[in-house]
Amino acid sequence: MAALHHLRQYHPLCIAVSKLHTSSHASAKQHYKMLVLGGGSGGITMSARMKRLMGAENVAVVEPSEVHYYQPLWTLVGAGAKSVALSSRPTASVIPSGVKWVKSKVQEVNPDKNTVYTDDGSQISYEYLIVALGLQLHYEKIKGLPEGFEHPKIGSNYSFETVEKTWKALQNFKEGNAVFTFPNTPVKCAGAPQKIMYLSDAFLRKTGRRAQAKVIYNTSLPVLFGIKKYADSLWDIVKRRDLQVNLRQNLIEVRADKKEAVFENLDKPGETKVIEVTVLCNFISL
């Protein structure tokens, strides 16, 4: 917050200030007052804010992808409320006007020299740096994935390629266990697994199939939600909707051919439980 307050002291028209380089920047091919790593929702949002603070010519975004995905929309795609096509658009169309788009991958960050090195050999120096590179998907850390995605009733809302499978599985659901999971790893959005569970519950009620469904939420966390105030409210919702929540349960294997999911009890390492599944969604390792 102190750094952001300091940035506000720069008027967008203070171009002369942005061109005062120190000797450590002399060998760099490019220099920006603010450098943003990552062109996802976080990086684009911050680059737009920094543009307003210090002027577009002083801001650059490093992002290699030609396509930008608005990933928060994918929960609604998985629930059938939005089309997956709406979540993507050309990266060039979301970069704030006037902000420099460096179309490269970050190879190295040297904070001692205020320099970023990219995969094309470029050096970019900066005065301020925002890292918004996001997370990488590693489905292979769960046994049985990613090959398990070939099964029609297994999907994940964390991927453009698999999110529509969630909706198709819900549409074709007749009876059985609808299982939603929260992994024992960092995640892009900690609320996403619960959101799709609540939306799926609402869809099954609307279509008259809720009585034939057992909705299960297996989370690796020891709590339903990290903030107690909200967790208390969510527990009330869970009870009211008859949703089964199992804490400290981590998905370690998917047996697509047998329609089974294997969970480990994190409080008792080595102890596992096999659950028969009809729909399995949102398992992910990052």
Side-chain angles (χ1 to χ4, degrees):
M1 291 304 293
L4 186 58
H5 175 73
H6 181 64
L7 287 174
R8 289 198 177 99
Q9 297 176 18
Y10 293 101
H11 189 277
L13 298 180
C14 293
I15 300 174
V17 176
S18 71
K19 295 182 178 178
L20 294 178
H21 299 204
T22 65
S23 59
S24 65
H25 301 146
S27 62
K29 295 180 179 179
Q30 304 177 60
H31 174 74
Y32 297 93
K33 183 176 291 295
M34 173 60 70
L35 185 61
V36 180
L37 305 185
S41 298
I44 294 300
T45 299
M46 290 308 298
S47 63
R49 187 172 184 181
M50 293 303 105
K51 170 188 172 179
R52 293 194 295 271
L53 283 175
M54 58 183 61
E57 68 278 4
N58 297 313
V59 182
V61 178
V62 181
E63 170 56 52
S65 302
E66 292 278 357
V67 179
H68 169 89
Y69 295 103
Y70 183 66
Q71 298 184 41
L73 193 69
W74 288 346
T75 298
L76 296 179
V77 173
K82 294 292 182 180
S83 165
V84 70
L86 295 175
S87 70
S88 67
R89 61 183 59 186
T91 298
S93 70
V94 299
I95 299 288
S97 61
V99 169
K100 174 67 176 180
W101 175 21
V102 180
K103 198 184 304 181
S104 301
K105 288 184 178 181
V106 176
Q107 290 291 93
E108 180 184 348
V109 178
N110 189 328
D112 294 327
K113 295 184 178 181
N114 279 31
T115 301
V116 169
Y117 303 89
T118 63
D119 62 347
D120 62 0
S122 297
Q123 299 178 48
I124 310 172
S125 61
Y126 59 85
E127 293 186 35
Y128 297 94
L129 180 69
I130 293 176
V131 180
L133 293 172
L135 299 173
Q136 288 187 324
L137 305 180
H138 288 290
Y139 292 110
E140 76 281 357
K141 291 184 178 293
I142 298 174
K143 187 177 179 180
L145 293 181
E147 60 271 22
F149 286 125
E150 296 178 7
H151 192 279
K153 295 184 179 180
I154 297 176
S156 172
N157 286 358
Y158 286 109
S159 168
F160 181 85
E161 290 75 20
T162 60
V163 61
E164 288 184 300
K165 296 190 75 229
T166 303
W167 173 230
K168 291 178 181 177
L170 284 174
Q171 287 178 298
N172 295 326
F173 183 94
K174 293 181 174 59
E175 61 179 359
N177 295 331
V179 184
F180 304 88
T181 72
F182 187 106
N184 190 32
T185 61
V187 292
K188 293 182 180 182
C189 175
Q194 282 192 66
K195 285 189 288 185
I196 187 59
M197 174 180 66
Y198 299 134
L199 288 168
S200 298
D201 170 72
F203 173 74
L204 293 174
R205 291 179 187 277
K206 182 179 180 180
T207 55
R209 289 173 284 175
R210 182 62 178 88
Q212 289 74 48
K214 185 175 184 180
V215 180
I216 301 172
Y217 181 63
N218 277 9
T219 173
S220 64
L221 301 177
V223 293
L224 183 57
F225 197 77
I227 301 174
K228 187 178 185 304
K229 173 183 176 181
Y230 301 122
D232 291 343
S233 296
L234 291 172
W235 275 118
D236 289 339
I237 294 174
V238 163
K239 294 174 182 177
R240 188 164 64 249
R241 298 191 182 185
D242 191 27
L243 309 174
Q244 180 178 318
V245 175
N246 301 311
L247 305 177
R248 300 295 284 163
Q249 297 296 310
N250 183 47
L251 180 67
I252 60 172
E253 183 180 355
V254 174
R255 300 170 181 170
D257 56 334
K258 297 181 179 180
K259 298 182 181 180
E260 294 177 344
V262 182
F263 293 86
E264 180 180 23
N265 185 341
L266 295 178
D267 289 331
K268 298 179 180 179
E271 180 180 295
T272 61
K273 182 178 181 179
V274 178
I275 297 179
E276 181 180 349
V277 296
T278 304
V279 173
L280 183 61
C281 176
N282 257 359
F283 43 88
I284 183 75
S285 283
L286 300 165

